[in-house]
């Protein structure tokens, strides 16, 4: 038995079997062929190359849609040319008949020779082509060997996924019925894979560094997402203790259920709004069963990540319309695409950035991908007549981005009018406050928009300058950093002064202890994962705003996040002892 500590990413406990999810390394087969097989082998290479060419053409089209630079498009073109090179293909045919070996091996050897030549050239440009060539060779070999990216959509039985990393798209697509736990080498508490695990109430522990090297498929494992630990090969005594824990958890769950329908009102009578965050429409059921006061954040980019770039305006319109109709009078805040950062488009991985979190993300991506952005805005405005829609823009760092967005909205309204398409004219348009520059210019932004929503996941990341998904520096990810508390306070105060609502939709808003701190800072509108709502309501109903304000008076005098954390923790444990 071995216990390993990591980062608690999604609460809950599960005892089960490991499913080790690994991208297999390519092992190229080598075997003899007969003379009569030469033509067949060669034709296999031609179809594999043709498929690779089509894949690259699709990437090129996607790149054009996203206004990628001419240089990058030209690079994809040169890859397509490499694949079609007649003399290279002719050389393979000759080698096939001389060596009488299978085409995978002959192709693999031929690429090896090319790479050696390029490496020997001592010309920087030529050396850089080596990685291009490797990439293309891998693509063609994948096609020759029918290797598809393994999907987690159809698992045969219940399991705990152990992987080095999971893309948010893997997590969205995985078979939720059978995935009972997630355990990763990398990641942080607010990485999007962790957020999705919480959304689907799957226990998860991340940031375990090298857990994938310690297990194999079928091993016994316990994932304790609440404590942030995993136990390999647990003994009987430990299993017994964990079965008790699971029972206790179920009892707590049942108890909290009684809070679902209760109003979120503090003990001294202040009404608090508690809305839900969702990533995909499938979560609507959970939003309703947890009686959320509307949707405070719909991460619309997951629609695009799921079906890649080719979501049409009509497809988006149908999804937005269905959500709005389903939610009736309740507000539905749909965030425009927050592509980038850790949310990469699977077929588009080739275009990588050196610093994705500081790069082409959120509103930056949308404003330079006008076709995609306008398509989304048109779909949103068309759907607006079916419910209570609010539009929210992510990653705003300056006022120019707000102006450009509002201008684009006016353009699409004119387009819709010209087409005689119905839409609501006055839809509240707000922005996420998740970049420190937005907070420091908040009074100017308040004059332009209808609401703010504080995205603490990113605000912490960009304030403390740490990648929110990097396990090596996860210890620095402090939600009570004095700088962060001040930034939140500035935003809430500026919203009140300007008379516009301020909500908070980062993960901090669903943390029971942080809820007290946020109430003390004057927050009245929370948005969180639906499963966090019952406990949040219980906390809100058992505290007075006056008490929370007193805590703020004390912690605002402290200079260290660790000190604030200990203070809040012991206050909470004492005040809520026996209650939670
Ligand atoms: C945030 O940054 O706090 C937020 C809610 O957005 P996301 O987690 O999708 O970046
Ligand atoms: Mg964010």
């Amino acid at each position: 038995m071995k216990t390993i500590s990591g980062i608690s990413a999604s609460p809950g406990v599960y005892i089960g079997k490991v499913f080790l999810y690994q991208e297999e390394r390519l092992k190229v087969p080598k075997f003899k062929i007969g003379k009569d097989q030469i033509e067949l082998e060669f034709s296999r290479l031609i179809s594999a190359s043709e498929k690779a060419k089509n894949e690259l053409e699709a990437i090129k089209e996607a790149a054009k849609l996203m206004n990628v630079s001419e240089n990058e498009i030209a690079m994809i073109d040169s890859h397509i040319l490499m694949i079609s090179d007649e003399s290279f293909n002719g050389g393979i045919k000759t080698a096939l008949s001389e060596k009488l070996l299978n085409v995978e091996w002959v192709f693999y050897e031929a690429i090896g020779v090319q790479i050696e030549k390029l490496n020997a050239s001592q010309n920087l440009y030529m050396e850089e082509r080596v990685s291009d060539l490797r990439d293309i060779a891998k693509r063609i070999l994948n096609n020759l060997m029918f290797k598809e990216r393994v999907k987690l959509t159809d698992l045969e039985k219940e399991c705990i996924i152990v992987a080095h990393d999971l893309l948010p798209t893997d997590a969205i697509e995985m078979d939720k019925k059978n995935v009972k736990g997630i355990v990763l080498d990398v990641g942080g508490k607010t990485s999007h894979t962790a957020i999705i695990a919480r959304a689907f109430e799957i226990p998860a522990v991340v940031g375990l560094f090298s857990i994938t090297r310690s297990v194999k498929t079928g091993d016994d494992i316990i994932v304790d997402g609440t404590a942030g630990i995993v136990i390999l090969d647990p003994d009987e005594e430990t299993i017994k203790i964990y079965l008790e824990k699971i029972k206790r958890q179920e009892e707590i769950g049942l108890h909290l259920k009684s809070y679902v329908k209760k109003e979120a009102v503090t003990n001294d009578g202040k009404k608090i709004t508690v809305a839900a965050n969702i990533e995909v429409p499938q979560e609507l059921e959970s939003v309703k069963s947890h009686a959320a006061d509307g949707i405070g954040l719909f991460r619309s980019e997951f629609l695009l990540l799921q079906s890649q770039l080719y979501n049409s305006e009509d497809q988006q319109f149908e999804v937005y319309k269905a959500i709005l109709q389903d939610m009736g009078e309740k507000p539905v805040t749909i965030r425009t695409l927050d592509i980038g950062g850790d949310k990469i488009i699977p077929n588009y991985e080739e275009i990588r950035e050196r610093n994705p979190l500081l790069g082409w993300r959120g509103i930056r991506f949308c404003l330079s991908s006008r076709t995609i952005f306008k398509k989304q805005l048109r779909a949103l405005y068309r759907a607006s007549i079916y419910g209570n829609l609010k539009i929210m823009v992510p990653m705003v760092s300056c006022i120019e981005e707000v102006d450009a967005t509002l201008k684009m909205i006016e353009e699409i309204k004119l387009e819709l009018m010209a087409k005689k398409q119905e839409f609501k004219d006055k839809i509240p348009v707000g922005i996420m406050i998740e970049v420190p520059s937005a907070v420091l210019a908040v009074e100017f932004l308040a004059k332009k928009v209808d609401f703010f929503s504080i995205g603490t996941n990113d605000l912490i990341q960009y304030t403390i300058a740490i990648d929110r998904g990097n396990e090596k520096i996860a210890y620095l990810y402090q939600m009570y950093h004095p700088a962060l508390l001040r930034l939140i306070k500035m935003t809430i105060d500026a919203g009140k002064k300007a008379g516009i609502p301020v909500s908070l939709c980062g993960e901090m808003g669903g943390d029971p202890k942080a809820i007290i701190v946020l109430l003390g800072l004057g927050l009245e509108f929370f948005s969180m994962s639906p499963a966090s709502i019952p406990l949040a309501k219980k906390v809100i109903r058992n505290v007075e705003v006056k008490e929370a304000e007193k805590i703020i008076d004390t912690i605002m005098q402290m200079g260290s996040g660790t000190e604030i954390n200990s203070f809040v923790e012991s206050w909470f444990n004492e005040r809520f002892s026996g209650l939670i």
Side-chain angles (χ1 to χ4, degrees):
M1 183 172 103
K2 189 172 173 196
T3 302
I4 311 175
S5 291
I7 300 165
S8 148
S10 174
V13 174
Y14 194 77
I15 307 170
K17 299 268 185 209
V18 167
F19 175 80
L20 187 60
Y21 178 62
Q22 274 179 321
E23 292 257 351
E24 281 168 53
R25 271 167 195 265
L26 274 181
K27 186 158 187 329
V28 183
K30 180 182 179 186
F31 53 86
K32 276 271 173 209
I33 57 162
K35 279 195 177 132
D36 55 341
Q37 288 172 290
I38 295 172
E39 277 306 321
L40 178 70
E41 286 294 284
F42 187 64
S43 69
R44 286 182 54 227
L45 174 69
I46 297 302
S47 6
S49 304
E50 207 45 47
K51 192 163 173 239
K53 216 162 112 182
N54 292 341
E55 287 163 4
L56 288 173
E57 291 285 0
I59 290 168
K60 192 172 117 185
E61 285 316 304
K64 280 188 189 159
L65 264 179
M66 293 162 78
N67 295 346
V68 163
S69 73
E70 293 282 315
N71 273 351
E72 282 176 304
I73 304 267
M75 201 176 76
I76 303 174
D77 271 332
S78 72
H79 290 183
I80 295 173
L81 272 179
M82 268 194 216
I83 290 178
S84 324
D85 189 282
E86 280 190 15
S87 71
F88 179 75
N89 285 344
I92 299 266
K93 196 163 185 187
T94 313
L96 275 173
S97 46
E98 283 172 9
K99 298 183 178 176
L100 289 180
L101 287 168
N102 59 310
V103 72
E104 293 88 346
W105 185 260
V106 171
F107 173 78
Y108 176 67
E109 274 194 334
I111 289 290
V113 172
Q114 294 290 325
I115 288 177
E116 259 176 45
K117 272 191 205 159
L118 288 175
N119 273 335
S121 72
Q122 303 209 326
N123 168 325
L124 191 61
Y125 175 79
M126 292 309 228
E127 281 172 20
E128 278 173 1
R129 299 284 71 77
V130 168
S131 71
D132 294 348
L133 195 58
R134 279 213 174 96
D135 202 58
I136 292 167
K138 202 167 148 210
R139 210 173 262 286
I140 295 177
L141 279 170
N142 275 343
N143 293 342
L144 269 173
M145 291 151 65
F146 303 110
K147 188 172 170 290
E148 294 275 340
R149 187 179 167 79
V150 186
K151 294 230 172 206
L152 295 168
T153 40
D154 265 320
L155 296 166
E156 276 166 19
K157 44 185 183 229
E158 293 185 350
C159 62
I160 291 171
I161 304 275
V162 180
H164 177 69
D165 194 8
L166 279 187
L167 288 178
T169 35
D170 293 327
I172 277 284
E173 284 175 355
M174 72 193 170
D175 173 359
K176 317 279 181 319
K177 188 165 60 54
N178 282 325
V179 176
K180 298 293 177 190
I182 296 175
V183 171
L184 302 180
D185 285 341
V186 299
K189 213 180 178 67
T190 60
S191 59
H192 284 93
T193 301
I195 289 174
I196 292 161
R198 275 197 292 282
F200 288 97
E201 298 179 51
I202 301 171
V205 180
V206 302
L208 287 149
F209 292 93
S210 58
I211 183 88
T212 44
R213 281 188 234 143
S214 314
V215 296
K216 58 183 187 319
T217 296
D219 282 357
D220 291 320
I221 186 170
I222 296 178
V223 50
D224 181 345
T226 312
I229 56 173
V230 295
I231 303 171
L232 308 181
D233 192 19
D235 58 26
E236 272 183 31
E237 187 54 34
T238 311
I239 293 182
K240 228 165 95 190
I241 295 171
Y242 267 91
L243 285 173
E244 271 305 309
K245 272 197 185 188
I246 293 174
K247 208 168 125 216
R248 175 95 186 103
Q249 243 178 27
E250 287 167 356
E251 284 164 7
I252 295 175
L254 273 179
H255 162 71
L256 286 175
K257 255 197 175 147
S258 64
Y259 279 84
V260 166
K261 297 271 183 254
K262 291 187 180 160
E263 261 203 285
V265 186
T266 62
N267 222 348
D268 48 356
K270 186 166 182 185
K271 168 83 185 91
I272 304 296
T273 303
V274 183
N277 293 348
I278 62 166
E279 288 68 43
V280 283
Q282 291 92 303
E283 288 174 79
L284 274 181
E285 220 165 280
S286 179
V287 172
K288 285 188 286 179
S289 68
H290 288 99
D293 299 325
I295 294 174
L297 165 66
F298 172 36
R299 292 181 162 97
S300 74
E301 58 275 9
F302 281 97
L303 283 183
L304 194 101
L305 290 169
Q306 260 182 315
S307 50
Q308 297 171 22
L309 273 178
Y310 308 106
N311 264 112
S312 73
E313 178 183 323
D314 283 343
Q315 275 173 310
Q316 290 189 55
F317 163 74
E318 290 301 336
V319 176
Y320 304 148
K321 175 182 162 187
I323 297 177
L324 285 161
Q325 283 181 325
D326 211 11
M327 292 301 294
E329 291 288 294
K330 291 189 175 170
V332 174
T333 313
I334 300 185
R335 178 172 78 181
T336 56
L337 299 171
D338 189 15
I339 287 291
D342 64 340
K343 287 174 283 195
I344 49 166
I345 303 167
N347 253 2
Y348 205 64
E349 285 172 47
E350 283 74 4
I351 299 189
R352 289 186 188 280
E353 291 183 289
R354 219 171 307 159
N355 261 321
L357 291 166
L358 297 181
W360 202 35
R361 199 194 148 178
I363 191 60
R364 303 167 181 186
F365 167 86
C366 284
L367 288 174
S368 62
S369 313
R370 288 177 64 87
T371 321
I372 296 176
F373 196 26
K374 278 186 137 185
K375 199 157 64 172
Q376 179 172 38
L377 291 172
R378 273 197 303 269
L380 284 168
Y381 271 82
R382 281 172 55 199
S384 63
I385 54 173
Y386 296 97
N388 186 356
L389 174 68
K390 292 177 172 191
I391 295 177
M392 180 156 81
V393 182
M395 269 296 282
V396 169
S397 61
C398 59
I399 209 155
E400 287 81 351
E401 287 168 335
V402 176
D403 287 337
T405 304
L406 295 176
K407 187 162 166 257
M408 205 155 331
I409 288 178
E410 288 314 312
E411 281 171 28
I412 64 108
K413 280 186 184 174
L414 289 176
E415 284 170 26
L416 292 177
M417 273 195 273
K419 284 193 193 160
K420 301 213 175 348
Q421 269 173 324
E422 249 191 291
F423 63 91
K424 263 192 201 165
D425 191 32
K426 296 244 173 300
I427 301 173
V429 176
I431 56 171
M432 293 210 50
I433 299 289
E434 47 187 355
V435 180
S437 62
V439 181
L440 299 172
V442 76
E443 61 192 280
F444 303 105
L445 293 166
K447 291 186 191 134
K448 300 260 175 181
V449 298
D450 300 311
F451 65 92
F452 290 146
S453 186
I454 306 173
T456 46
N457 304 338
D458 279 316
L459 191 56
I460 297 174
Q461 161 168 267
Y462 295 125
T463 302
I464 310 178
I466 51 157
D467 173 350
R468 65 197 247 193
N470 185 338
E471 64 287 354
K472 295 186 195 76
I473 40 149
Y475 67 97
L476 284 172
Y477 197 90
Q478 291 182 346
M479 60 181 171
Y480 301 126
H481 192 297
L484 185 84
L485 296 181
R486 279 161 177 75
L487 293 173
I488 295 176
K489 185 166 173 9
M490 280 173 71
T491 309
I492 296 173
D493 291 350
K496 284 192 174 150
K497 195 165 162 212
I500 63 169
V502 180
S503 69
L504 187 143
C505 60
E507 294 302 298
M508 183 177 181
D511 181 290
K513 296 175 192 117
I515 287 174
I516 312 267
V517 173
L518 294 168
L519 285 172
L521 288 172
L523 191 74
E524 292 167 17
F525 187 145
F526 293 70
S527 190
M528 59 188 70
S529 171
S532 305
I533 293 178
L535 182 54
K537 282 191 177 173
K538 178 159 184 174
V539 169
I540 291 167
R541 290 176 65 86
N542 279 289
V543 74
E544 291 189 3
V545 174
K546 268 182 287 168
E547 287 177 277
E549 283 170 351
K550 251 173 106 181
I551 294 178
I552 295 299
D553 288 345
T554 310
I555 62 178
M556 283 308 215
Q557 305 304 317
M558 297 176 179
S560 132
T562 317
E563 194 185 352
I564 299 175
N565 187 44
S566 320
F567 179 84
V568 174
E569 189 123 356
S570 50
W571 182 91
F572 188 90
N573 290 342
E574 198 178 311
R575 174 68 174 69
F576 279 81
S577 93
L579 267 174
I580 288 173

